[in-house]
Amino acid sequence: MTTEEDADLDAVVAGVRERVDPAPEERERLTEAVDALTERVQEALADHDVTADVVQVGSTARGTWLAGDRDIDLFVRFPDELPREDLERLGLVVGRQVLPDGHEEFAEHPYVKGEFEGFDVDLVPCYDVPAATDIRSAVDRTPFHNAYLLDRLDDDLAGDVRVFKRFLKGIGVYGSDLRTKGFSGYLSELLVLEYGGFEPLLRAAADWQPPVEHDPEDHGTRTFDDPLVVVDPTDPERNVAAVLSADNVARLQHYARDLLADPREELFFPPERDRLSAEELEGHLDRRGTLPLAVAFDAPDVVEDQLYPQLEKSLHGVVAELDRRGFEPLRAASFASEGEDQPFDRAVLFVEVAIAELPKIQRHNGPPVHVRQHATGFYETYADSDVYGPFVDGDRYVVERDREFTTPESLLESDALFDVALGAQVKQQLKAEYEVLVGDDVVALTERFGVELRDYFDPTP
Amino acid sequence: MTTEEDADLDAVVAGVRERVDPAPEERERLTEAVDALTERVQEALADHDVTADVVQVGSTARGTWLAGDRDIDLFVRFPDELPREDLERLGLVVGRQVLPDGHEEFAEHPYVKGEFEGFDVDLVPCYDVPAATDIRSAVDRTPFHNAYLLDRLDDDLAGDVRVFKRFLKGIGVYGSDLRTKGFSGYLSELLVLEYGGFEPLLRAAADWQPPVEHDPEDHGTRTFDDPLVVVDPTDPERNVAAVLSADNVARLQHYARDLLADPREELFFPPERDRLSAEELEGHLDRRGTLPLAVAFDAPDVVEDQLYPQLEKSLHGVVAELDRRGFEPLRAASFASEGEDQPFDRAVLFVEVAIAELPKIQRHNGPPVHVRQHATGFYETYADSDVYGPFVDGDRYVVERDREFTTPESLLESDALFDVALGAQVKQQLKAEYEVLVGDDVVALTERFGVELRDYFDPTP
């Protein structure tokens, strides 16, 4: 890396910071909103006979949010001895009082989400436990994360966190939701802290040899089977990067090298990709010579973190069965379109196979002829049936008998689909209704899933 | 096995013996012919200044030939000290004198083959060595085999040898030539001797658990990796069943059980099978839904024992390459038709594949992204080329790039055919000329190879 390239990277980072650093007015408005909300919560609490404090958490609490993000996370910490029913009830009562136009959402317990002076506010009840290892629900851990980072992130590092998070967003690996399986905000901040800034983190990531292990507090008590391990500074048993996929580690490595070799803001702010058109899809099918198949159905009424693991499991089940039946899946993906009355509308298991048709017969190996009882049983089973053989090959009997499914669509259209491992609610939906699209029929999917199909047929690292 | 079934088997064996035991007149004519030939050989030897004796060997020497077989094998044993050139020269001179209308053939050295009073006579020169372990050429061993069996086979056992040989012929596993890889005459006789008759041999074979090992003289000095081992009573280093294939061991086991369960002469004298007609072949192709392919070429001018190993090697090479390229060979066979001016005329490598067409692209896995130098090299190789990707899958780069052969016939029609392991002279012939038949075109093969195609498409154990 020459000095000139260093200068290029510095200039790019400076350019990115200009776009992601919140302006003073934005910070001011945020502080005012948080103060007003905190006061409202305390007033609401005063109406009920309970002591609790209010903690602001999340990126807006630590100055690591990206300009324009408008999320305020306020946690109301109730005493440890409060029964869970009371915590849930009081959490909602206070939430509704503070955000009268808000609505309930559900994580490990219910909380209230609403708008306040242009900000999206989460008002979450949690327990005030002595340490992160004593938590009663996952949300209890958040204030500890918050405190740990607040103590360590100065303005410089907070700025680098914003650059790193923008980079992760740009390359598509930001977010610990179960669809993305990327880097959470907390993980991003710990990594910047661990490496002392964006650029050293970038250079290190370019050279990572997974498994890469960090234990900032040097207190880890177990081993993890993950490509990246960052032991939670507030919990020695927990890998902060547990959700992160190997793919996304590799992607960060790829783009870190790319950015170092050719620094450019475009990697932080990639242009939106066009939807794949029907004509483009047809062109790809022609160019590839594969057979695409799609199982399309109404998405179950569940949130993203429930839907995507089920789609993934179902897709894996379908791919494994197509493989076992000899159709050689080449690549596969699942899609879901946003719904109006429920989170998702229509879902698709999309598989491209190499083999469009198999022979009517298939080889079936019998036992070695010398295993007399077993062999005689096999021979007698097939001797008078409509198969080729039994004949001898090596030391075994062999027959060529009818194959159950000669095309992949006949498999997908049969009840055999329900014998594969499917997500529970996906299975329910499929049992009610589904459609199999084959070959050029999949062109119809470009209407709903043009963006996803662009990613599939014009894949980037 | 009930007494009734025993009686059935006895009756079948008696019926077979009636058909395979040579009549007294046949025995008499044979003895006369052998005597006359022996006298002629001795007269011829007298013209040359060398002492040698004449030994009758083979099944006609031991009374184990099947009625109607007309082979007389006479070995002329020359002194051990005679130079090889002299043995070869004298062997031919004597041979031509005794059989003036005969012709030369070649085993390990030349000998004369001719007709005499309706018998096919082999007149073979060999060395008179002190023991079978001192032989200078394979033919020197034969007189020792002959002496060993003559000492031990009485008329009863000789009769059982005839029945066993007829059984082996009936089920298609008789002959140690490299096409059949079956039971030699010598092996058949040793087995009948070892088990004390046809029926005990049959019952034992039905229960064999290969590897089955016999060492009649209990003098074996090495181990063998063969399904059946019979240590040569005249040579502790040699397995008489070395050529026998696992398939043929299994076939003997199958048909031994079949004969015991349902004794019938038909197994000894099966009806000749009809040639497969063009219509029948088309019916099979339709029923099977496979793609048949044939590489047809002029057979090299070599004898059976040279041709078949080369065809087998070539077929194996072609099948392995079709498999490696993703076309999933289902079954394969090689055929050769008899020639007029040379042993064989036209030869065919016949392969049935499950996959008639593959996509234009194929997946190609690159290195793990974290192996930086290697991974960067891979990425740069493909980044600007006409492939899908590189994209990340798991921890690796992957591309989907053009497949070289999308149909099996395009592979067989290309020079890639010459990169597979082929028999040397088969390769020469293919380089000069060959034809690829695909799909229904193979119907043309029924003209020359109707019998072989019957065995292929109506396979028996």
Side-chain angles (χ1 to χ4, degrees), chain B residues 192-448:
Chain B
V192 169
L193 198 57
E194 186 72 7
Y195 287 98
F198 172 68
E199 204 185 305
L201 167 53
L202 200 67
R203 293 192 190 283
D207 270 329
W208 276 348
Q209 300 286 334
V212 172
E213 301 184 351
H214 292 291
D215 186 358
E217 291 302 300
D218 199 17
H219 66 170
T221 50
R222 45 161 294 202
T223 56
F224 299 91
D225 187 26
D226 299 311
L228 176 64
V229 176
V230 178
V231 179
D232 192 336
T234 75
D235 185 348
E237 298 275 315
R238 182 172 175 265
N239 176 18
V240 178
V243 157
L244 182 64
S245 69
D247 302 57
N248 284 334
V249 172
R251 286 191 185 104
L252 173 61
Q253 296 200 260
H254 169 82
Y255 284 110
R257 292 171 197 161
D258 190 4
L259 182 64
L260 289 167
D262 179 14
R264 56 203 195 278
E265 277 189 49
E266 194 195 356
L267 288 177
F268 294 82
F269 300 97
E272 210 170 289
R273 305 190 87 191
D274 290 342
R275 304 167 60 82
L276 194 74
S277 70
E279 293 67 37
E280 285 176 303
L281 178 50
E282 280 165 1
H284 283 298
L285 296 183
D286 195 44
R287 162 86 180 82
R288 294 167 72 80
T290 53
L291 183 74
L293 298 152
V295 176
F297 56 100
D298 286 337
D301 183 9
V302 296
V303 297
E304 188 182 65
D305 267 6
Q306 289 179 294
L307 180 63
Y308 278 90
Q310 287 200 36
L311 290 180
E312 195 177 318
K313 180 181 177 182
S314 307
L315 186 67
H316 184 264
V318 167
V319 165
E321 186 64 9
L322 285 167
D323 190 39
R324 202 176 71 78
R325 298 282 188 170
F327 298 110
E328 296 183 19
L330 184 78
R331 199 137 58 85
S334 56
F335 314 137
S337 60
E338 266 179 44
E340 291 191 7
D341 306 331
Q342 60 180 53
F344 296 95
D345 174 25
R346 197 80 175 151
V348 167
L349 307 176
F350 185 83
V351 189
E352 221 184 343
V353 298
I355 310 298
E357 192 169 7
L358 284 167
K360 295 176 188 160
I361 53 154
Q362 65 182 346
R363 182 186 171 100
H364 174 57
N365 290 331
V369 173
H370 65 257
V371 183
R372 185 166 182 173
Q373 202 180 347
H374 191 187
T376 303
F378 180 89
Y379 184 81
E380 283 169 1
T381 299
Y382 286 106
D384 296 319
S385 70
D386 183 24
V387 301
Y388 286 87
F391 55 88
V392 164
D393 189 10
D395 66 349
R396 290 179 181 274
Y397 283 129
V398 173
V399 292
E400 289 158 352
R401 62 182 183 186
D402 284 343
R403 183 186 294 276
E404 194 173 357
F405 297 106
T406 61
T407 63
E409 61 270 29
S410 64
L411 168 61
L412 297 180
E413 281 160 358
S414 81
D415 278 354
L417 180 64
F418 303 111
D419 295 332
V420 316
L422 298 169
Q425 285 149 303
V426 165
K427 185 170 184 171
Q428 268 179 18
Q429 295 295 106
L430 289 172
K431 286 237 170 191
E433 169 271 343
Y434 71 95
E435 180 190 15
V436 177
L437 304 175
V438 188
D440 284 344
D441 293 352
V442 303
V443 166
L445 296 175
T446 51
E447 211 174 296
R448 269 199 170 90

Side-chain angles (χ1 to χ4, degrees), chain A residues 203 206-210 246-251 253-254 257-258 260 283-291 326 328 330-331 352-363 368-373 375-376 379 386-397 400-403 456-461, chain B residues 203 206-210 246-251 253-254 257-258 260 283-291 326 328 330-331 352-363 368-373 375-376 379 386-397 400-403 456-461:
Chain A
R203 293 193 189 282
D207 270 328
W208 275 348
Q209 301 284 334
D247 303 58
N248 284 334
V249 173
R251 285 190 186 105
Q253 296 201 262
H254 169 83
R257 293 171 196 160
D258 190 4
L260 289 166
H284 282 297
L285 296 182
D286 196 44
R287 161 85 181 84
R288 295 166 71 81
T290 53
L291 183 75
E328 296 183 19
L330 184 77
R331 197 135 62 81
E352 223 185 341
V353 299
I355 309 297
E357 192 171 3
L358 285 167
K360 295 177 188 159
I361 54 154
Q362 66 182 347
R363 181 186 172 100
V369 174
H370 65 258
V371 183
R372 185 166 181 173
Q373 203 180 346
T376 303
Y379 184 81
D386 183 24
V387 301
Y388 285 89
F391 54 89
V392 164
D393 190 9
D395 66 349
R396 288 180 182 273
Y397 284 127
E400 289 158 353
R401 62 182 183 185
D402 283 343
R403 183 186 295 277
Y456 186 95
F457 286 105
D458 279 343
T460 55
Chain B
R203 293 192 190 283
D207 270 329
W208 276 348
Q209 300 286 334
D247 302 57
N248 284 334
V249 172
R251 286 191 185 104
Q253 296 200 260
H254 169 82
R257 292 171 197 161
D258 190 4
L260 289 167
H284 283 298
L285 296 183
D286 195 44
R287 162 86 180 82
R288 294 167 72 80
T290 53
L291 183 74
E328 296 183 19
L330 184 78
R331 199 137 58 85
E352 221 184 343
V353 298
I355 310 298
E357 192 169 7
L358 284 167
K360 295 176 188 160
I361 53 154
Q362 65 182 346
R363 182 186 171 100
V369 173
H370 65 257
V371 183
R372 185 166 182 173
Q373 202 180 347
T376 303
Y379 184 81
D386 183 24
V387 301
Y388 286 87
F391 55 88
V392 164
D393 189 10
D395 66 349
R396 290 179 181 274
Y397 283 129
E400 289 158 352
R401 62 182 183 186
D402 284 343
R403 183 186 294 276
Y456 185 95
F457 285 104
D458 280 342
T460 55

